[in-house]
Every structure is written in structure tokens, then in C-alpha cells.
Amino acid sequence: MEFNENFILGCSAIGAGLAVIAGIGPGVGQGIAAGHAAAAVGRNPGAQSQVRTMMLLGQAVAETTGLYGLLVAILLLFVQPLLP
């Protein structure tokens, strides 16, 4: 079965849209982490630097999922390796 160029570009655009949806999870997770960190600092202001360090480290790790989704979307939209 042979696909024309428009079909391949359309599937690439749909795939890019689905890949960008991967950014929802890290956004929600980072919001929850920031809320818990603010609550922890409110309970114990002396541990502010430790709480901030751990929160930023956790958010950096969580953000990689969203960045990978964005990278896949950019590759699908601009590189287009499936075109003849």
C-alpha cells in the first residue's frame, strides 16, 4: 500500500499533537510538588533551603518527560523522515 505525501504529513501532525500532550503530566506534577513544598516551608521555615533544593531537583527530573514530548513533536513536524 502506497501513501501519498499529504497522508504522511497529516499523520505526522497528529502524532506531534499527541506527543505534546505529554506536557500535561509534568505540569500537574510540578504544581503538586510546589504546593507541598510551600506547605513544608510554612510548617518549618528553617528547612527552606533543603526543601527548595529537593523541590527543584524533583521538578527538573519531572520536566524531562515534557521536553522529550516536545522534541518528538518538533522532529515529527520539521524533519519528516518518512517522505520519499
Side-chain angles (χ1 to χ4, degrees):
M1 179 180 220
E2 190 169 323
F3 298 111
N4 63 6
E5 184 176 337
N6 291 331
F7 180 77
I8 293 173
L9 292 175
C11 288
S12 293
I14 291 171
L18 291 173
V20 173
I21 291 176
I24 293 173
V28 171
Q30 289 175 358
I32 291 171
H36 286 296
V41 169
R43 285 191 306 271
N44 186 4
Q48 178 180 2
S49 64
Q50 291 177 336
V51 170
R52 185 183 330 126
T53 302
M54 291 302 295
M55 180 192 68
L56 290 177
L57 180 65
Q59 287 185 349
V61 170
E63 185 61 27
T64 58
T65 305
L67 291 176
Y68 289 148
L70 180 64
L71 176 68
V72 167
I74 289 172
L75 288 174
L76 283 172
L77 288 177
F78 296 114
V79 175
Q80 301 167 352
L82 299 176
L83 291 179

